[in-house]
Amino acid sequence: MLPKNDSQNMIQLSDRLLGMEESATLAMSKKSRELKQSGKDIISLSLGEPDFFTPDFIKAAAKKAIDENYTKYTPVSGYDDLREAIADKFNRDNRLPYKKENIVVSTGAKQSIINVVMSVMNAGDECIIPAPYWVSYVEMVKVAEGVPVIVSASIDQDFKITPAQLEAAITPKSKLMIFSTPCNPTGSVYTKEELAALAKIIAKYPQLLVICDEIYEHIRFEGNHESLAQFPEVFEQVVTVNGVSKAWAMTGWRLGYIGAPKYIAEACEKIQGQFTSATCSITQRATISAVSSKPEVLNEMVTAFKNRRDLVLDLLNEIPGLKTNLPKGAFYVFPDISSFFGKSHGEHVINNSGEMAMYLLSEALVAVVGGDAFGDNNCIRFSYATSEDILTEALSRIKLALAKLN
Ligand code: PMP
Ligand code: GLU
């Protein structure tokens, strides 16, 4: 629950804190963990976290780092050889000509993004956020006193905005844009042609900086990963965000990074130097071995995710009233559940995505996240980062629960 100011509090909480929403993904996973601990047979499809373990060669690198006494403060932006390895990775996998000076390593991609937001936004500046969006973008912009400008993309356009929509949203106050490809929560992936068309618009507005969040780069089911920064006309206007949480199953290790114009990288280093310093030294050493590996190492995991996506889509298609797109990356599906609005079962009346999420939690014992937290109240998000058996059981429970609504 959000803390509230009331007369019992000695200290008045800040407007900044009170104006902020709690992360819906983390709130739902906390709730399902608590219900599980109280003995309820909950299946959680709420958190975007791979169920795989971190590969052994990365764990071995971390153990070696401890034995070799990599236990001190590191440079704020990360060890030099890590930043060089990340620059090499960007060149090798993404054809992005970043150098060490363009790289800042942070405590998760989350911190990478807030560093950039805090570096560029002044009060009243606008940030364009295509919806559906990942939960934290809007709150980060609000904390920086910026104004989120939401540009909605419907399921009929595969949840991707068009160049015309982008251009219509740009004003003299536009400072930033944030989006992810592959996208959390929709799994949509912008093609090279679609990014090229967005780049053409972006290049017309040199005062606009774009954060392209590519943390699901390796989890995609067809074609190559395409980065916005590959187009030379916008290279100096793009910050490419990535990290090791998803592809390398390292969510708890806390490491994200940016490739950015040098002045933005320096700004992020300055902010991070005051707030957290560098991320964990041992994680940094382990990450060198992750980012230096060819992405083919991940083929087995990606195939498992693709099989799960196919299974979940097959099972969802058997449920009347749901509409889905075909997610081409990440590990989420974001079905439209609006055909159930106005229906009820017992004390549950469903009029929006949050009520549907609560209904599925209490009736099906399956935790999902309501789409309102992602900027689309017609949808709910399932994470399929769990085994096929669990997914099959979860979807059969959901099917039964939805059939009870009338
Ligand atoms: N961006 C997106 C789109 C995400 O889904 C997440 C979730 N973890 C993050 C950034 C943050 O990742 P990290 O664990 O590296 O902070
Ligand atoms: N990014 C993941 C998700 O969307 C992890 C939770 C979070 O960091 O918000 O579920």
Side-chain angles (χ1 to χ4, degrees):
M1 281 303 288
L2 268 183
K4 295 234 162 27
N5 269 339
D6 62 45
S7 53
Q8 285 167 333
N9 287 340
M10 298 291 288
I11 307 290
Q12 181 82 6
L13 296 170
S14 72
D15 294 342
R16 183 179 300 111
L17 181 279
L18 294 170
M20 184 193 268
E21 295 291 331
E22 187 176 8
S23 161
T25 49
L26 299 183
M28 195 48 138
S29 61
K30 184 174 168 197
K31 192 173 199 125
S32 58
R33 207 178 299 131
E34 284 165 2
L35 286 170
K36 248 187 219 169
Q37 277 162 2
S38 74
K40 288 239 162 87
D41 173 26
I42 301 287
I43 298 179
S44 178
L45 306 183
S46 58
L47 192 62
E49 175 165 55
D51 55 328
F52 297 100
F53 292 120
T54 305
D56 284 342
F57 73 93
I58 298 176
K59 293 196 275 195
K63 291 174 194 165
K64 186 161 171 272
I66 296 176
D67 289 339
E68 290 177 353
N69 293 311
Y70 281 100
T71 54
K72 307 274 191 200
Y73 287 133
T74 84
V76 170
S77 293
Y79 285 120
D80 281 356
D81 51 352
L82 171 59
R83 290 166 68 213
E84 252 147 31
I86 291 170
D88 289 349
K89 173 252 172 292
F90 274 131
N91 282 268
R92 179 195 67 207
D93 297 345
N94 313 116
R95 303 173 306 281
L96 300 180
Y98 292 122
K99 303 192 183 81
K100 188 184 82 179
E101 66 193 29
N102 304 112
I103 310 299
V104 179
V105 176
S106 302
T107 306
K110 243 178 198 172
Q111 190 187 21
S112 301
I113 299 166
I114 187 72
N115 280 347
V116 180
V117 171
M118 295 299 271
S119 294
V120 300
M121 298 294 285
N122 280 321
D125 285 346
E126 293 177 356
C127 177
I128 296 170
I129 305 182
Y133 47 74
W134 179 50
V135 281
S136 298
Y137 299 155
V138 168
E139 299 311 312
M140 289 180 181
V141 169
K142 278 163 44 188
V143 158
E145 298 180 61
V147 181
V149 174
I150 307 302
V151 180
S152 293
S154 70
I155 193 166
D156 301 321
Q157 56 192 100
D158 192 19
F159 296 117
K160 292 184 277 190
I161 61 161
T162 62
Q165 280 184 295
L166 170 59
E167 188 149 34
I170 297 176
T171 76
K173 287 192 166 175
S174 304
K175 191 69 174 281
L176 193 61
M177 165 174 166
I178 314 181
F179 76 114
S180 61
T181 179
C183 175
N184 177 1
T186 63
S188 302
V189 175
Y190 283 86
T191 63
K192 186 170 181 178
E193 293 67 33
E194 287 163 344
L195 290 175
L198 294 180
K200 244 190 202 160
I201 305 297
I202 293 161
K204 281 166 65 180
Y205 300 90
Q207 83 282 6
L208 184 68
L209 185 76
V210 182
I211 297 179
C212 188
D213 180 348
E214 304 184 9
I215 191 142
Y216 294 97
E217 166 190 10
H218 293 302
I219 305 171
R220 48 150 232 289
F221 312 127
E222 51 194 69
N224 292 325
H225 173 72
E226 301 295 345
S227 297
L228 179 64
Q230 72 182 286
F231 303 103
E233 68 269 32
V234 292
F235 184 66
E236 288 296 323
Q237 280 176 265
V238 177
V239 176
T240 307
V241 170
N242 211 321
V244 290
S245 286
K246 311 293 172 173
W248 301 99
M250 291 174 71
T251 44
W253 297 64
R254 308 310 301 135
L255 191 142
Y257 54 85
I258 54 168
K262 187 163 173 265
Y263 72 101
I264 299 283
E266 285 169 357
C268 291
E269 178 180 4
K270 180 173 168 186
I271 290 212
Q272 187 165 298
Q274 291 290 19
F275 286 174
T276 58
S277 294
T279 193
C280 168
S281 54
I282 298 148
T283 296
Q284 289 190 49
R285 300 313 299 166
T287 297
I288 294 177
S289 55
V291 296
S292 306
S293 308
K294 294 255 165 65
E296 289 76 55
V297 180
L298 301 167
N299 284 351
E300 214 175 296
M301 181 193 66
V302 176
T303 305
F305 279 128
K306 182 169 187 290
N307 292 339
R308 292 166 180 185
R309 178 203 64 175
D310 293 344
L311 173 72
V312 168
L313 286 182
D314 283 349
L315 295 172
L316 284 174
N317 283 335
E318 285 173 15
I319 304 179
L322 294 183
K323 190 171 165 191
T324 52
N325 67 327
L326 176 66
K328 300 207 173 74
F331 36 63
Y332 308 102
V333 277
F334 199 57
D336 184 314
I337 42 102
S338 58
S339 71
F340 293 94
F341 292 173
K343 297 191 174 182
S344 60
H345 174 63
E347 70 207 27
H348 289 277
V349 184
I350 313 296
N351 280 316
N352 56 49
S353 64
E355 287 170 358
M356 178 60 99
M358 289 321 293
Y359 174 67
L360 293 178
L361 186 63
S362 63
E363 186 64 31
L365 301 182
V366 178
V368 300
V369 186
D372 53 340
F374 303 96
D376 189 335
N377 213 355
N378 287 335
C379 297
I380 52 173
R381 190 191 79 169
F382 298 77
S383 161
Y384 55 83
T386 189
S387 73
E388 294 192 13
D389 285 350
I390 294 177
L391 290 169
T392 306
E393 170 65 17
L395 269 296
S396 115
R397 290 187 193 182
I398 287 173
K399 186 176 181 180
L400 277 177
L402 291 180
K404 290 181 190 163
L405 290 170
N406 54 49

